[in-house]
Amino acid sequence: MFDAAIIGCGITGAALAFELSRYKLKILILEKENDVSQGASKANSGIIHAGYDPMPGTKMAALNVEGARLAEELCQNLDVEYKKCGSLVLAFSAEEEKTLELLYNQGVENGVPELEIIRGEAIRKLEPNVSGKATAALYAPGAAVVIPWDYVLALAETAVQNGAELRLNAEVSAVEKTGGFYKIKCGNKKDEIEEIESRFVLNAAGVNSAEIHNMIAPPNFKITPNRGEYYLLDKAQAKIASRVIFQCPNEKGKGVLVSTTAHGNIIIGPDSSDVSDGENTATSLRGLAYVAETARKSVPSLDFRANIRNFSGVRANPDSGDFIIQEAEGAPGFIDLAGIKSPGLSAAPAIAKLAVSMLEQSGLALIKKENFIYTRRKIRFANLSEKDKQTLVRENPNYGRIICRCETVTEGEILDALRSPIIPRSIDAVKRRCGAGLGRCQGGFCSPRVTELISKELCINPLELEQDRSGSYIFTSETKGGGKDA
Ligand SMILES: Cc1cc2nc3c(=O)[nH]c(=O)nc-3n(C[C@H](O)[C@H](O)[C@H](O)COP(=O)(O)OP(=O)(O)OC[C@H]3O[C@@H](n4cnc5c(N)ncnc54)[C@H](O)[C@@H]3O)c2cc1C
């Protein structure tokens, strides 16, 4: 019997697991995919928003500002790349300048520090490539960017280090209340369905959160999947923007941005279109053309020939317009964390703290662990000084072999990833942990070596190795006469 079972391991589930792992509890995380952070938390803008966007008085407003405050220390302790770069919202007309005033006032009411409206050339002084047609901008120096999947990994890995149990490939298909606890059916294959028992349940299933809620309580909210598409430009374009550059928000959300990433690339997007399938992360000619055209209004000199990847993420848009954080009707101890759309990445640590306090009110005893681990360190060879690189290579020659030349990722770092608390079992899972394949060639050169390393270290037949999600096999058969056992 578990004390708390968390359904879904995006940023919400991971932050919950981390927060709960401070206490003497038996915690289980159930994730339907073969790695954590495979939903919206993998594919978003990576911004820790300052918090002027949500309407004052909403859950989104309070939790965004608090989550952003908590993120800085969390990222520092858990070794997540966090760049406090600041953000600008541009206005191109008198009408839009009124929107900036509104955002400024909302920000002040929400408790966002250091907001300022700047005008004319002061904008170009901060961001020289911003269009001369931008007349004013709301400047929020506190906004930051992170690598979103690494934020999830850091929280989930630390929760695991602190004793939480993570089950991957564990899709929840039924939840039932029996006496004083919940029975949860999970598993991806019909003949491998398990039944798990837990006293408390946290529904952090993103686009599927309404489906999970409806397994245990009368439906009281709807989620509409809404897709946003992106370009990612090569690091050679890094100088084009050193902050997050938004346009004024519209009825569809925060609109198209041009931004630096925590990794030093330039990200451009997203658009917004409702999709029927919450897992539909395709990109489209129409969506990308809209993104490119809209982004050029902010930064006319954008060079899309430097694009190294297109991708999309799917928002879990709630019909309430606000985060749905509630104990499900007639299901004491079953907490929904649903409709966690933007600014969910920013708000996650605060959402987790709120959910834990709801669990406590619902009867979960919280006794702090004395030996809670609140630290995580990764070797990033490329960031070391020459002297430290030499010392490291002398100590362990694996760090002297560069596997990913675009991002300077060594064999040592790939092996570290393969021995990390949540073992990566696909090429992209390794990429998310150490950056091999994230660069200009997108794994064109290093993926054969990464394949060999995964295969050798984890004893996986390369024919069974996946690129990313379950079923994304990369090899069909061996060539040059090598049989399965060759
Ligand atoms: C295009 C886009 C841009 C965004 N930009 C920003 C931004 O810059 N800043 C910001 O703060 N927020 C941003 N957001 C919002 C942010 O990404 C989300 O709020 C956040 O990632 C939601 O996290 P989550 O854990 O709730 O959901 P998810 O990350 O979607 O995680 C849900 C998890 O549940 C799992 N799951 C689903 N069903 C089941 C089941 N039956 N059994 C087991 N597991 C299940 C999924 O596989 C998934 O891993 C953006 C979102 C999008 C889509």
Side-chain angles (χ1 to χ4, degrees):
M1 169 81 68
F2 289 90
D3 292 307
I6 299 165
I7 304 173
C9 199
I11 191 73
T12 309
L16 276 167
F18 169 80
E19 200 52 40
L20 282 168
S21 72
R22 293 178 188 274
Y23 305 98
K24 293 180 182 169
L25 296 169
K26 243 183 128 211
I27 304 156
L28 175 67
I29 320 164
L30 297 167
E31 169 51 57
K32 76 178 173 68
E33 299 294 334
N34 59 3
D35 195 12
V36 304
S37 197
Q38 292 285 64
S41 303
K42 175 172 73 171
N44 56 58
S45 309
I47 300 161
I48 302 300
H49 292 288
Y52 49 76
D53 247 306
M55 286 266 286
T58 57
K59 291 190 190 87
M60 283 202 283
L63 296 168
N64 179 165
V65 174
E66 178 60 4
R69 195 185 63 75
L70 295 168
E72 189 166 3
E73 188 201 291
L74 267 176
C75 290
Q76 202 170 45
N77 277 299
L78 303 184
D79 204 6
V80 178
E81 287 181 56
Y82 171 100
K83 192 156 82 178
K84 200 181 232 178
C85 55
S87 69
L88 293 169
V89 185
L90 304 180
F92 291 88
S93 64
E95 192 63 25
E96 289 193 345
E97 286 193 25
K98 281 191 206 147
T99 307
L100 294 191
E101 295 282 346
L102 190 100
L103 292 175
Y104 175 88
N105 290 333
Q106 281 191 177
V108 171
E109 209 175 326
N110 291 345
V112 181
E114 304 172 277
L115 284 177
E116 192 187 344
I117 292 185
I118 56 173
R119 291 177 199 280
E121 285 317 298
I123 308 172
R124 258 78 56 192
K125 221 167 157 189
L126 288 180
E127 286 294 341
N129 295 306
V130 160
S131 162
K133 291 182 181 158
T135 54
L138 175 66
Y139 178 38
V145 289
V146 294
I147 300 174
W149 57 85
D150 194 38
Y151 197 12
V152 179
L153 270 166
L155 292 163
E157 281 181 3
T158 311
V160 168
Q161 295 282 71
N162 282 301
E165 192 179 319
L166 169 69
R167 291 198 201 165
L168 297 171
N169 300 307
E171 178 167 8
V172 171
S173 53
V175 185
E176 195 189 313
K177 175 105 176 116
T178 324
F181 58 90
Y182 291 91
K183 282 187 176 174
I184 305 171
K185 281 199 176 129
C186 66
N188 283 15
K189 292 186 188 141
K190 272 208 177 89
D191 48 347
E192 285 173 20
I193 300 288
E194 260 189 284
E195 197 164 71
I196 275 143
E197 295 176 350
S198 181
R199 292 169 54 221
F200 293 85
V201 181
L202 296 128
N203 168 16
V207 286
N208 295 343
S209 51
E211 206 177 288
I212 300 286
H213 166 95
N214 298 348
M215 291 175 185
I216 196 73
N220 74 343
F221 62 90
K222 259 178 141 173
I223 300 292
T224 305
N226 177 281
R227 193 175 67 193
E229 303 181 21
Y230 289 94
Y231 290 87
L232 187 71
L233 303 193
D234 186 53
K235 284 179 177 171
Q237 297 291 308
K239 288 205 170 89
I240 206 90
S242 47
R243 292 174 182 74
V244 186
I245 304 171
F246 293 103
Q247 295 175 10
C248 277
N250 54 36
E251 66 289 346
K252 286 186 170 174
K254 295 183 192 73
V256 172
L257 58 87
V258 176
S259 173
T260 179
T261 70
H263 225 90
N265 300 82
I266 295 291
I267 189 172
I268 303 163
D271 65 336
S272 164
S273 64
D274 288 349
V275 283
S276 51
D277 175 4
E279 313 230 318
N280 180 349
T281 52
T283 53
S284 65
L285 276 177
R286 204 167 74 173
L288 291 172
Y290 169 81
V291 167
E293 192 193 326
T294 314
R296 281 202 185 98
K297 183 175 171 190
S298 304
V299 182
S301 56
L302 283 172
D303 182 359
F304 287 91
R305 287 172 305 178
N307 184 44
I308 58 170
R309 192 170 186 101
N310 294 112
F311 65 93
S312 76
V314 181
R315 307 171 179 91
N317 278 355
D319 54 355
S320 64
D322 199 0
F323 294 157
I324 297 158
I325 301 176
Q326 62 179 13
E327 187 167 81
E329 190 191 328
F334 184 103
I335 311 282
D336 290 311
L337 301 135
I340 309 294
K341 62 170 188 169
S342 184
L345 183 73
S346 319
I351 294 176
K353 281 193 185 290
L354 172 63
V356 171
S357 72
M358 289 168 75
L359 288 175
E360 191 176 23
Q361 274 168 27
S362 202
L364 180 66
L366 300 177
I367 303 161
K368 281 211 159 143
K369 280 180 192 151
E370 288 97 50
N371 53 353
F372 175 64
I373 300 164
Y374 185 25
T375 173
R376 170 182 176 258
R377 285 288 164 259
K378 290 208 290 197
I379 288 174
R380 289 188 188 86
F381 187 79
N383 296 352
L384 297 177
S385 67
E386 279 312 307
K387 194 168 158 240
D388 287 347
K389 280 179 183 164
Q390 281 168 20
T391 312
L392 188 65
V393 173
R394 263 198 305 275
E395 280 169 9
N396 182 346
N398 289 336
Y399 292 106
R401 284 189 283 277
I402 308 289
I403 303 293
C404 168
R405 280 178 274 164
C406 302
E407 295 292 306
T408 321
V409 181
T410 63
E411 183 171 320
E413 289 162 277
I414 295 171
L415 292 173
D416 288 346
L418 290 167
R419 295 164 190 169
S420 64
I422 302 173
I423 294 170
R425 295 190 174 273
S426 70
I427 307 252
D428 284 1
V430 169
K431 172 172 81 174
R432 287 190 286 276
R433 281 155 180 82
C434 64
L438 266 185
R440 181 174 294 173
C441 88
Q442 290 287 295
F445 283 97
C446 65
S447 55
R449 282 292 289 129
V450 174
T451 304
E452 272 176 43
L453 287 168
I454 302 177
S455 172
K456 202 166 151 205
E457 180 72 16
L458 304 182
C459 299
I460 300 179
N461 182 335
L463 292 177
E464 276 147 31
L465 195 62
E466 289 154 327
Q467 179 69 40
D468 195 8
R469 290 191 156 170
S470 291
S472 57
Y473 297 107
I474 28 186
F475 302 111
T476 52
S477 60
E478 289 193 30
T479 57
K480 297 182 186 162
K484 243 190 174 186
D485 305 320

